Amino acid sequence: LVSSPKAQMAVGPAFTVKCRAGDNLALHAALNYCQEGDFLVVSNEEDDTRALMGEVMMAYLYLRKKVAGIVIDGPIRDIDEIADLKFPVYLGGTSPVKSARIMETVDVDVPVFLGGVQICPEDLVLMDRTGVAVVPSAHLKEVLLEAEKIKAKEDRIESKVRSGMSLNEARQQK
C-alpha cells in the first residue's frame, strides 16, 4: 500500500468495510454509517482489477462526512483529483476500471484483514506518508503510556543535541 500524493497525517477509530473483490456495494453502505472522525478501513480481498472508489466518493467522505482518512487494500480512480483534496488515503494502487455492485449482503463494522493484520472496529488507525499503524482498542492505554515515555526520552536527547552535545553523548547521558 502507498499513500496518495499530498496526503496529510490522520488518526481515528477504525470503521471497517469488507468488500468482495472488485465489488463496492459494502462501501456504498458505509457512506451512510460512518461518522465524522472515523478512519475507513476497506478490505477488498487484495483485488487489483477494479477501483472501488474515485473522486466523487472521496470528496463526499472528506468534505461532507469528514472522515479522518481511508486505508484500502485495492485500487482507486482519479488519483490526481484526490491528491488535490489532500485527503489522507493509503491505497493498493490505481485502476481506471469501475467496480461492480453485486453483493447480496453488506459487511460493515466487522473485523477485516489488510496486509495480514486484523483490524477491528474501534481500533485506532494512525497514518502518515510513511505508513499506517493500528493499535488494538484493548491496548490503547498501555501503548499511549509507552509512546509518552519514548517521546519524553527523544525530547531530552533533542534538547541536549541542540545545546551542543553529540548525538552519542546525548543518548548516553541520563
Side-chain angles (χ1 to χ4, degrees), residues 123-142:
D123 285 353
L124 189 66
V125 181
L126 305 101
M127 185 194 102
D128 67 13
R129 299 246 326 128
T130 59
V132 177
V134 178
V135 180
S137 59
H139 300 288
L140 285 175
K141 194 172 196 174
E142 65 193 78

Side-chain angles (χ1 to χ4, degrees), residues 36-164:
E36 183 174 335
D38 283 344
F39 205 114
L40 259 64
V41 177
V42 183
S43 169
N44 179 48
E45 299 177 339
E46 298 181 12
D47 179 69
D48 64 358
T49 60
R50 295 177 174 268
L52 290 186
M53 58 192 324
E55 176 188 12
V56 173
M57 287 176 74
M58 290 281 187
Y60 177 76
L61 287 166
Y62 186 53
L63 302 171
R64 174 71 183 227
K65 296 295 279 193
K66 300 190 183 322
V67 299
I70 298 178
V71 162
I72 184 168
D73 72 351
I76 64 171
R77 294 185 319 277
D78 311 323
I79 189 70
D80 292 329
E81 292 81 358
I82 292 166
D84 289 341
L85 288 172
K86 298 183 181 173
F87 185 35
V89 178
Y90 239 75
L91 56 133
T94 60
S95 173
V97 182
K98 290 177 66 171
S99 61
R101 290 187 203 132
I102 54 177
M103 283 177 46
E104 293 182 16
T105 60
V106 172
D107 294 325
V108 296
D109 237 10
V110 297
V112 297
F113 285 87
L114 269 76
V117 175
Q118 183 179 37
I119 304 167
C120 295
E122 299 301 316
D123 285 353
L124 189 66
V125 181
L126 305 101
M127 185 194 102
D128 67 13
R129 299 246 326 128
T130 59
V132 177
V134 178
V135 180
S137 59
H139 300 288
L140 285 175
K141 194 172 196 174
E142 65 193 78
V143 170
L144 178 60
L145 290 173
E146 189 61 30
E148 287 172 342
K149 289 179 194 174
I150 292 168
K151 175 73 170 129
K153 180 180 177 183
E154 289 177 351
D155 287 348
R156 283 192 301 276
I157 292 170
E158 183 180 346
S159 175
K160 291 174 184 179
V161 168
R162 287 181 184 272
S163 70

